[in-house]
Amino acid sequence: MNRIVLASASPRRKELLEQIGLTFQVCCSTCEEKSQGSEPSSVVCELSRQKADDVWQKEWEDREGLLVIGADTVVSFRGKILGKPKDEKEACEMLSALSGNVHEVYTGVTFCYLKEGRKMSHTFYEKTEVVFYPMDKEEIEGYVATKDSMDKAGAYGIQGRCAAFIKEVRGDYNNVVGLPIGRLYQEMKECFGK
């Protein structure tokens, strides 16, 4: 691939791609994200496809050698998807539910690219389990007051101050940050060679 485009405004995803030495540009998707599904794995795959497709449709001088990467992450707890909290009250409610429990983080990733002149898509997802230590009301409110929880699925960022409450991560840590970067690289190798 000559040009890689990340269809996400997430600074965390940007940092993860930079971490493995990829050269890319950022072009944010502006589509309204809507999913028909309720199963977390299908939701993240569908939303990552929407984001990648939206950016793919933009005015590109030449799509030959272009790879667009879309991604979406959700937190799932007892079958319920927890997105980004709409306010501090909802953030506290989410963290109270996660406190002392195990939940899952799903990230869907979609590649859009040309192969023999035809647009192709490749989508996969990664699932990671996260175990929280119990958090008391003051700890939850103190963390939410930092505003770190407001732009993150499940109302927390594992790489920030909430790390104090993470007991265990079962699976890919980077997936919880927002992009399963090792898996992404392996999928790129499989799709496009080295």
Side-chain angles (χ1 to χ4, degrees):
M1 292 290 109
N2 305 344
R3 290 175 301 152
I4 299 172
V5 176
L6 175 62
S8 172
S10 166
R12 294 162 293 280
R13 290 188 181 120
K14 184 176 177 286
E15 286 168 12
L16 288 167
L17 286 177
E18 288 168 346
Q19 183 181 325
I20 63 166
L22 292 182
T23 302
F24 62 96
Q25 68 185 91
V26 173
C27 181
C28 300
S29 167
T30 54
C31 69
E32 186 180 347
E33 298 170 30
K34 285 194 182 213
S35 173
Q36 306 301 314
S38 58
E39 178 64 36
S41 59
S42 63
V43 168
V44 293
C45 287
E46 186 179 353
L47 295 178
S48 73
R49 266 192 302 273
Q50 288 174 16
K51 292 175 183 180
D53 284 340
D54 180 58
V55 169
W56 180 266
Q57 298 303 326
K58 296 196 185 299
E59 291 295 318
W60 298 102
E61 197 174 295
D62 180 16
R63 287 189 175 88
E64 197 61 49
L66 175 67
L67 168 63
V68 175
I69 302 172
D72 191 76
T73 302
V74 299
V75 169
S76 175
F77 179 62
R78 295 183 179 160
K80 182 180 178 199
I81 292 176
L82 306 179
K84 296 175 184 176
K86 61 179 182 290
D87 54 32
E88 290 187 4
K89 180 177 180 287
E90 188 175 46
C92 288
E93 289 167 359
M94 287 182 185
L95 289 168
S96 294
L98 299 180
S99 171
N101 288 306
V102 181
H103 64 273
E104 300 81 37
V105 178
Y106 291 82
T107 299
V109 179
T110 296
F111 299 155
C112 288
Y113 57 97
L114 280 182
K115 185 173 184 179
E116 297 167 1
R118 289 181 44 229
K119 179 195 172 224
M120 305 293 286
S121 291
H122 174 68
T123 302
F124 63 93
Y125 76 91
E126 190 71 29
K127 172 187 163 187
T128 304
E129 291 184 338
V130 179
V131 185
F132 264 53
Y133 283 109
M135 300 170 74
D136 63 33
K137 188 172 183 279
E138 290 73 28
E139 289 171 325
I140 291 170
E141 289 173 353
Y143 175 65
V144 170
T146 68
K147 306 290 186 205
D148 187 52
S149 59
M150 298 315 296
D151 66 337
K152 295 174 181 72
Y156 77 94
I158 195 168
Q159 72 284 6
R161 291 174 78 168
C162 200
F165 307 107
I166 305 301
K167 183 175 184 180
E168 185 180 352
V169 176
R170 300 172 188 156
D172 185 346
Y173 169 87
N174 289 321
N175 186 51
V176 184
V177 177
L179 202 59
I181 200 68
R183 171 92 182 269
L184 179 142
Y185 182 74
Q186 298 305 316
E187 297 276 346
M188 284 177 70
K189 272 174 53 177
E190 205 167 292
C191 283
F192 316 114
K194 288 196 171 191

